[in-house]
C-alpha cells in the first residue's frame, strides 16, 4: 500500500485560508495545555495543600527546562521535513524522521535514567523547601520516567506539522489533556480500585495519559500508512545520518537558546518588580496570567508561518514565502488585537479574575497593562518574520536580534530609567524593546541574506535543492512580488 500524501499542501492554494486552518489547531493545542496545567494545579493546591503545590511547581520547573532544551531541535526537524515535503523529496523527509527519532529516543532515555537518580539533588540545588522536598522528589521521579513519552509525542507532533498536518497532533494532544484531567483525581485520591498516590498521582496521570495518547497516535499513523511512518521494513532509516544530525544540532540549538534568553530576561524583570512590594508584584503576576493567553495567537501563527515557508522554500516558490510573511503579520494584528481590545476595555473585570476587587494591586495592574500589553502586537510581528527567516536555515540572526532586544534594550531601559520613571520604567521597557525588536527583524527580513541560507547541505549536493532553485536567485524584496502575474496567481 502506498504511503499517504500530506493532509494539507502548503505550497498551493490560498495562503490566507491555508495559514489560518493550519494555525488554529496549534493555537487550540496551546490553550488546552495551559488549561490542563491550571486544572492540575487546582487539584493539587486545593486538596493537598500549599506544600504539595510548591512541590509540583519546583518539579515542573525542571520538566519545562528539559522540554524547552530540545525545543529548538524539534523546530529544526520540522523545518527539515517541511523543506523536504515542499521539494517533493519524500525519501529525504523519511531520512530526517528516522535520524530525529533515534536521536530523541536515545536522549530521552538517557535523561530518564540520570533524572531518576539525580532528582533529589536537583531539587536541593533549586532550594526546594524542606517540607515540600519528599513530595517533589516522588513527583519528579515519575516525571523523569515519563520524559521519553513526552519527548516522543512532542517530536512526532513537530514532524507531522512539518509535513503540513496540524490537526492530527492536536487531536491526540487533546486526548492526552482529557486523560490527564480524568486521571488526576483518580490517582491522587485513590478512587475505586486505584491506589491513593497523593502528589505522585498527578505525575502518574501525566505518565499514563502520555503513554495512551502516544500509543494511539502511533497506531493511527501505522493504520493510515502515513508517509512518515517507519515500520520494521524501514529500520535502516533509523540509523543516524551524520549530516542530518549535524543540521538538527547546529540549527536547533540557536532556536532553543531563544527560550533561555527570554526566560532569563523575565527572571530579571520579576526581580526588579519584587523590589516595589507585594502589591506591585501581585499586579504584575496577574498581568502575566493574561499575557500568557495574549501571546498565544502570535506563537501559533509564527509556528504555522515557519512550516508553510519551509515547504515553499523546498519547492522554490519564493513569492509564496514572502506572501506567507505578509499574511502572517496581518493575522497577528487581527487575532492578537482581538484579545488585547477586551483586556483594555474590561481591564478591571479581567484582572479581578486573579486579584481581589478591593485590592490596591488592581489599580496597579490596570496601569501597567495599559502600557505593556500593546507590546504583544510588535512581539507577534517578530515571531512571524523570525519563523519565516528560520525556515531557510538562518537561525542565528533571529537569536541575536532577540538577545539585543531583551538584554541590550529591555533590561537596561528598565534598570537605568527607574530613578526617573519608577516602576513605569519596567512597564515601558516591554513595548520599547518589542518595537525595536520588530524593526530589527523587519530590516533583516528586507535586506539580510536569509534567503541564501541552507538547513542541510551534504558533501555530494544540497539534498533539498529543487529545479526551481537551480540557476535562479530568490527574489529579495517584498515590494517586487507584484511584478509578476504568475506570482499573484500562485499566492492566492
Amino acid at each position: 500500500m502506498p504511503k499517504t500524501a500530506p493532509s494539507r499542501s502548503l505550497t498551493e492554494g490560498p495562503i490566507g485560508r491555508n495559514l489560518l486552518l493550519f494555525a488554529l489547531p496549534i493555537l487550540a493545542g496551546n490553550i488546552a495545555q495551559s488549561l490542563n496545567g491550571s486544572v492540575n494545579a487546582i487539584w493539587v493546591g486545593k486538596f493537598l495543600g500549599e506544600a504539595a503545590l510548591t512541590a509540583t511547581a519546583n518539579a515542573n520547573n525542571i520538566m519545562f527546562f528539559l522540554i524547552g532544551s530540545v525545543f529548538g531541535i524539534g523546530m529544526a526537524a520540522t523545518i527539515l521535513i517541511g523543506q523536504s515535503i515542499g521539494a517533493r523529496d519524500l525519501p529525504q523527509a523519511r531520512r530526517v524522521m528516522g535520524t530525529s527519532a533515534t536521536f530523541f529516543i536515545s536522549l530521552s532515555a538517557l535523561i530518564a535514567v540520570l533524572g531518576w537518580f539525580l532528582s533529589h539533588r536537583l531539587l536541593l540545588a533549586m532550594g526546594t523547601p524542606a517540607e515540600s522536598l519528599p513530595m517533589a522528589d516522588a513527583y519528579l521521579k515519575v516525571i523523569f520516567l515519563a520524559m521519553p513519552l513526552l519527548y516522543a509525542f512532542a517530536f512526532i507532533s513537530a514532524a507531522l506539522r512539518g509535513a503540513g498536518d496540524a490537526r492530527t497532533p492536536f487531536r491526540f494532544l487533546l486526548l492526552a489533556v482529557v486523560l490527564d484531567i480524568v486521571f488526576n483525581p483518580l490517582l491522587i485520591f485513590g478512587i475505586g480500585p486505584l491506589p491513593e498516590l497523593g502528589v505522585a498521582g498527578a505525575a502518574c496521570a501525566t505518565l499514563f495519559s502520555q503513554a495512551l495518547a502516544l500509543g494511539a497516535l502511533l497506531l493511527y499513523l501505522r493504520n493510515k500508512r502515513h508517509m512518515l511512518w517507519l515500520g520494521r521494513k524501514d529500520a535502516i532509516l533509523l540509523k543516524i545520518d551524520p549530516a542530518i544530525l549535524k543540521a538538527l544540532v547546529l540549527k536547533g540549538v540557536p532556536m532553543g537558546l531563544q527560550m533561555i534568553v527570554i526566560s532569563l530576561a523575565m527572571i530579571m524583570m520579576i526581580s526588579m518588580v519584587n523590589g516595589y512590594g507585594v502589591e506591585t508584584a501581585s499586579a504584575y503576576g496577574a498581568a502575566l496570567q493574561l499575557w500568557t493567553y495574549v501571546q498565544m495567537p502570535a506563537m501559533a501563527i509564527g509556528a504555522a508561518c515557519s512550516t508553510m515557508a519551509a515547504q515553499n522554500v523546498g519547492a522554490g516558490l519564493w513569492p509564496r514565502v514572502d506572501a506567507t510573511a505578509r499574511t502572517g503579520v496581518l493575522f497577528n494584528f487581527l487575532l492578537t488585537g482581538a484579545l488585547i481590545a477586551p483586556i483594555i476595555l474590561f481591564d478591571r473585570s479581567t484582572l479581578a479574575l486573579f486579584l481581589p476587587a478591593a485590592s490596591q494591586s488592581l489599580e496597579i495592574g490596570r496601569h501597567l497593562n495599559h502600557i505593556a500589553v500593546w507590546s504583544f502586537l510588535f512581539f507577534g510581528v517578530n515571531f512571524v518574520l523570525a519563523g519565516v527567516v528560520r525556515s531557510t536555515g538562518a537561525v542565528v540572526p533571529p537569536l541575536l536580534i532577540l538577545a539585543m532586544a531583551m538584554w541590550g534594550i529591555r533590561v537596561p531601559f528598565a534598570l537605568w530609567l527607574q530613578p526617573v520613571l519608577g516602576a513605569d520604567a519596567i512597564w515601558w521597557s516591554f513595548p520599547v524593546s518589542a518595537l525595536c525588536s520588530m524593526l530589527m527583524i523587519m530590516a533583516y527580513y528586507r535586506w539580510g541574506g536569509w534567503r541564501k541560507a541552507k538547513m542541510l547541505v551534504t558533501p555530494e549536493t544540497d539534498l533539498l535543492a529543487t529545479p526551481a532553485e537551480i540557476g535562479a536567485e530568490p527574489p529579495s524584496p517584498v515590494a517586487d512580488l507584484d511584478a509578476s502575474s504568475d506570482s499573484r496567481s500562485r499566492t492566492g
Side-chain angles (χ1 to χ4, degrees), residues 16-372:
R17 178 177 179 273
N18 284 351
L19 184 62
L20 187 61
L21 291 176
F22 192 73
L24 286 177
I26 301 175
L27 175 59
N30 291 341
I31 293 173
Q33 285 183 306
S34 295
L35 292 175
N36 181 37
S38 299
V39 171
N40 291 352
I42 290 172
W43 280 115
V44 172
K46 283 190 175 294
F47 296 98
L48 298 181
E50 294 177 352
L53 186 60
T54 302
T56 60
N58 278 268
N60 282 336
N61 280 333
I62 296 175
M63 180 183 72
F64 293 146
F65 173 79
L66 290 172
I67 293 176
S69 63
V70 296
F71 167 79
I73 296 175
M75 287 185 64
T78 300
I79 294 171
L80 282 171
I81 291 174
Q83 288 188 357
S84 301
I85 295 299
R88 302 186 186 279
D89 190 349
L90 181 55
Q92 174 66 0
R94 287 163 58 76
R95 284 193 292 271
V96 173
M97 187 72 178
T99 293
S100 302
T102 300
F103 174 77
F104 273 94
I105 291 171
S106 302
L107 180 63
S108 62
L110 178 63
I111 289 174
V113 173
L114 292 176
W116 174 268
F117 293 104
L118 296 177
S119 64
H120 188 81
R121 293 182 182 179
L122 289 172
L123 292 166
L124 282 175
M126 288 179 59
T128 305
E131 61 271 26
S132 301
L133 187 57
M135 289 184 287
D137 190 32
Y139 180 91
L140 187 57
K141 275 185 165 60
V142 179
I143 288 296
F144 273 118
L145 291 180
M147 199 57 64
L149 303 173
L150 292 166
Y151 271 27
F153 191 92
F155 158 65
I156 294 174
S157 297
L160 291 175
R161 284 193 290 269
D165 182 3
R167 292 182 180 179
T168 298
F170 167 67
R171 291 189 186 112
F172 288 93
L173 173 62
L174 191 60
L175 173 63
V177 167
V178 171
L179 290 173
D180 199 350
I181 291 174
V182 171
F183 281 140
N184 254 282
L186 298 179
L187 294 171
I188 289 174
F189 307 115
I191 297 174
L194 297 174
E196 181 179 350
L197 300 176
V199 70
C204 288
T206 298
L207 173 65
F208 295 151
S209 62
Q210 286 293 321
L212 291 173
L214 177 62
L217 175 57
L218 292 174
L219 284 174
Y220 173 84
L221 296 178
R222 179 179 181 273
N223 292 336
K224 288 290 184 179
R225 297 293 295 167
H226 194 279
M227 61 181 179
L228 295 181
W229 170 256
L230 302 180
R232 284 177 294 181
K233 296 180 180 179
D234 305 307
I236 187 64
L237 296 177
L238 295 174
K239 182 180 179 181
I240 294 280
D241 184 312
I244 294 175
L245 181 60
K246 180 180 178 181
L248 289 173
V249 175
L250 293 183
K251 302 296 185 179
V253 168
M255 289 189 278
L257 284 176
Q258 294 186 45
M259 296 187 67
I260 297 176
V261 168
I262 294 174
S263 298
L264 292 177
M266 291 306 295
I267 291 172
M268 187 67 178
M269 302 304 289
I270 289 173
S271 68
M272 284 188 275
V273 170
N274 288 337
Y276 288 89
V278 66
E279 290 85 4
T280 301
S282 59
Y284 181 64
L288 285 178
Q289 291 291 331
L290 296 175
W291 296 352
T292 297
Y293 293 94
V294 170
Q295 66 185 338
M296 282 185 180
M299 295 176 68
I301 294 166
C305 284
S306 186
T307 300
M308 177 175 278
Q311 287 199 15
N312 285 285
V313 167
L317 300 177
W318 290 93
R320 286 183 65 90
V321 174
D322 286 319
T324 296
R326 292 199 308 270
T327 305
V329 169
L330 175 61
F331 282 165
N332 162 67
F333 281 117
L334 292 176
L335 296 181
T336 304
L339 288 180
I340 291 176
I343 287 177
I344 295 297
L345 294 174
F346 307 104
D347 55 353
R348 186 180 297 275
S349 300
T350 52
L351 287 167
L353 294 172
F354 309 99
L355 296 170
S359 171
Q360 189 177 356
S361 299
L362 188 59
E363 291 304 316
I364 299 174
R366 292 180 65 201
H367 173 69
L368 75 89
N369 222 16
H370 281 222
I371 296 173

